[in-house]
Amino acid sequence: MLLAHALGLARLDLYVHFDRPLAPAERDRVRELVRRRGDGVPVAYLVGEREFYARPFAVTPAVLVPRPETETLVEAALQTLAGRAAPRVLDVGTGAGVIAITVLLERPDATAWASDLDPAALEVAHQNARRHGVLERLVLRAGDLLEPWQEEPGHGRLDAVLSNPPYVARGDPLLDPAVARHEPALALHPPEPDPLHFVRRLAREAPAALAPAGVLAVEVGLGSAAEGLAVLGAHGWREARAVPDLAGIPRVLLARRPAPGA
Ligand SMILES: C[S@@+](CC[C@H](N)C(=O)[O-])C[C@H]1O[C@@H](n2cnc3c(N)ncnc32)[C@H](O)[C@@H]1O
């Protein structure tokens, strides 16, 4: 991937032109990329792109590199939205925009809002929305969790609040040091040493934003699902369950809005 990127070729062309010698400038470009990869810089940052749900998305060091686990969240959200016409969804902490944009691409009748604290991340999401032709169905706003959406005039109620929030506590020994060094701290770590910080906040704050049958889908880290489900249950969320990712790890908490007055 690095070689193809440095030479401006498709990967297949590397095989077709396997015996073409490199010009000195090309060799320097490849060497520099390999050196940075050796420092632990994610390939996605070096080539400026990552695939998500079989589509290419631009990424920069301002955003978390989208992970395959998050496709489980999108899949679960699409299933719950299957019976609803013209669904309205909010992607909280959108980063590169992969969740909102994929839902919009899979559901051409949907409308989405997406928030992020970091305006630089929203620029990447904007670029991706334009690239995938969904900009007119997506409102991108900077701010804290649901706040930017609440401030939108005439925002109505949502069918789903979706989020892959920061959930790795600072100093977690399981966190790859290269990830901690290169991916944005704001995308990785909650503001306090509680992996469920944002689940607790969404459990409290999301009901007011959702239509009566609305759902919350939120990604959690390894070992957090059982406690996360208990948090949702304590706030009256209904039919709460954990959906496993492809590795069988309970990864996405899915629940229906608490009954009004609960
Ligand atoms: C784990 S990343 C997820 C990015 C993207 N949704 C994905 O799945 O690849 C979390 C994102 O939440 C944003 N964020 C952190 N705190 C936030 C807050 N209080 N309100 C809104 N967004 C926040 C970060 O800037 C980051 O882009």
Side-chain angles (χ1 to χ4, degrees):
M1 285 181 77
L2 296 181
L3 189 57
H5 178 70
L7 303 181
L9 294 173
R11 283 166 70 188
L12 179 64
D13 292 330
L14 297 179
Y15 298 96
V16 176
H17 303 291
F18 69 93
D19 54 353
R20 168 160 93 67
L22 297 190
E26 291 175 327
R27 213 170 44 213
D28 289 349
R29 277 207 300 277
V30 175
R31 283 207 171 119
E32 175 59 10
L33 287 170
V34 170
R35 188 191 63 71
R36 293 177 63 204
R37 181 68 194 119
D39 281 346
V41 179
V43 173
Y45 291 161
L46 296 175
V47 304
E49 210 169 82
R50 174 70 179 218
E51 202 169 271
F52 183 85
Y53 223 81
R55 298 185 182 97
F57 284 84
V59 294
T60 74
V63 298
L64 186 92
V65 177
R67 306 292 206 270
E69 297 89 281
T70 307
E71 294 175 344
T72 301
L73 186 153
V74 170
E75 193 78 54
L78 288 170
Q79 276 172 20
T80 66
L81 294 172
R84 300 175 204 210
R88 299 152 51 84
V89 307
L90 171 64
D91 172 12
V92 173
T94 195
V98 291
I99 297 174
I101 293 169
T102 304
V103 169
L104 290 173
L105 288 166
E106 295 295 315
R107 286 294 303 264
D109 60 338
T111 313
W113 287 258
S115 73
D116 204 291
L117 261 191
D118 183 0
L122 288 174
E123 277 176 35
V124 180
H126 187 273
Q127 192 183 331
N128 281 319
R130 195 174 43 217
R131 174 181 192 166
H132 288 294
V134 297
L135 208 44
E136 70 289 352
R137 291 188 287 133
L138 176 62
V139 178
L140 293 160
R141 291 282 182 267
D144 180 36
L145 285 205
L146 296 125
E147 230 171 65
W149 176 81
Q150 281 154 346
E151 286 163 7
E152 281 291 302
H155 52 58
R157 292 285 183 94
L158 296 162
D159 294 294
V161 170
L162 314 175
S163 186
N164 172 20
Y167 56 67
V168 186
R170 273 173 208 279
D172 183 334
L174 292 180
L175 180 63
D176 178 348
V179 170
R181 225 174 31 249
H182 295 288
E183 300 200 46
L186 186 64
L188 294 171
H189 307 302
E192 45 189 59
D194 171 14
L196 289 168
H197 170 85
F198 284 107
V199 172
R200 293 181 213 285
R201 279 195 60 192
L202 289 168
R204 284 194 305 270
E205 297 173 33
L210 285 167
V215 294
L216 171 68
V218 56
E219 185 172 322
V220 294
L222 189 64
S224 288
E227 195 184 340
L229 287 176
V231 169
L232 292 174
H235 283 84
W237 288 82
R238 293 175 286 169
E239 300 163 43
R241 64 190 173 95
V243 182
D245 64 18
L246 290 178
I249 296 168
R251 182 62 70 183
V252 177
L253 307 183
L254 203 60
R256 202 164 294 286
R257 201 191 91 150

